[in-house]
Amino acid sequence: MNWKKRFIVILVVSFLIIKTAIYIVPITAYTYENEGINEVKTSEIEINEINFPDKIFRDYVERYDENDNGNLSEAEIANIIVIDIDNNNISNLKGIEYFSFLKELNCRYNNLTSIDISKNTRLTHLICDGNDLSKLDISKNTKLTTLVCGNNNLTNIDVSKNLELEVLLIEGNKLEFLDVTNNLKLVALYCTENKLANINVSKNPKLLHLGFSYNRVTNIDVTNNPLIEVFNCDNNNLNSVDITNNPLIEEFRCGNNNLDYINVSKNIKLKTIECNNNNISTLDITNNIELTTLNCSSNKLSNIDVTKNTELVSFLCSNNFINYLNLSNNLRLSNLNVDGCPLLWINVGNNTSLESKIDIQTEKTIDITKNKFDLTKAIKGIDISKVIIISNGILKENTVTVNDVTKPVVYLYSDKNVNVTVTLNLNLINSISNDNEISKAVKTSDQKSIKLWSAMCIGMGLLILIVKKKHKIGI
């Protein structure tokens, strides 16, 4: 091949190469650009009013736009694991469904009426209390371990699919039914302030906290919940409650029910007992030596022994029938309320912790047979050294000498900052006895007089007969 032909071949090949390059390069670049465009359309979420209609929520989401391009890339979305928008006045949470990697959502104290978390299947913690939710579907959130949805308008909630659930706080709603029998891992359940008439926790052996105060529950069985540490069942319609199989309980609140008896002898770890406003007539807390708070007000207690409860700090026993109170061993006691109790004395021992001065005025009727009586016999356990007679009597040793038995004796029992003023109404039972004795004496005297008179008459008759006989004989 001569040089001309060779030159022509080289020229043609070069042309073909250049021509091919002209077509190939633009096609490659276009494909790359189109791939980039397709990626934006399919995997990037534009932060706009359509995707995030609530401006406050939209402004919050913008903080995750790391390159400030107005979109959330797949990588940026993958980094959003926690969203905390608590108390932000948000009314619409549309757009939350884009965050498929979300594990924790806190949207409490907003203005939400609905929330769709069906796409947030990785969610483990949902906190949405303090909104206006009437429905909440968590059936797709099977990894949920914590649900806090109190203070909404929920009338029903289905947690049967949430087998991993450990914490359920659903207070302040309108629930009439709640089934937690599938939630075997539940450790905390609070459904206070609803309309529940029944609650079954027999399938929740891991429960540590149980609270269903302010409902309509008439019966509760916690025998299968031996690990319970906090148990609040106050303000219901319970007639009985058995916690003898719950030795780990530290806080027990059962006030405002219809209970006439509670047995806390097996609950030696108890620190708080609130059993106020029931019909309890006896309460034995001698085994509860760790007790720091006791509220047994408004019951029917006539006596209570707190001498073993040396850790007691707060003791409320108002409106009972208690006459005597020995607090000499309760040196840490600072809060005491005994209003409405007919107390005759309170022994506070060496306690210097009581926060306020206590003044009590009560009265009692006692029987006396004369104008003197032994105060230690009339008032059981009273410490005479702390008694001052205020009116109508004089105290010497244990004996009170009454000035006027028709009037009451008033004494003051003073022990540090506790003053008990007692009015003793006197019932003079010997007045009736004296009348009887006088009557008997009169009857006895009359009978003796009659016998004497009869004897005298007989004697006189005999004497007359003797005289007559002597006169006839002529002696």
Side-chain angles (χ1 to χ4, degrees), residues 86-97:
D86 135 27
N87 198 17
N88 270 284
N89 203 30
I90 295 172
S91 58
N92 191 339
L93 215 54
K94 185 183 182 307
I96 196 71
E97 64 271 14

Side-chain angles (χ1 to χ4, degrees), residues 122-159:
R122 289 182 173 88
L123 205 61
T124 60
H125 292 69
L126 173 60
I127 303 174
C128 57
D129 55 314
N131 282 283
D132 199 19
L133 301 173
S134 58
K135 293 181 181 180
L136 183 60
D137 184 0
I138 53 172
S139 59
K140 305 295 183 183
N141 310 102
T142 56
K143 294 184 179 181
L144 208 60
T145 61
T146 299
L147 174 59
V148 181
C149 56
N151 298 303
N152 280 286
N153 291 314
L154 300 173
T155 57
N156 182 47
I157 189 162
D158 183 0
V159 292

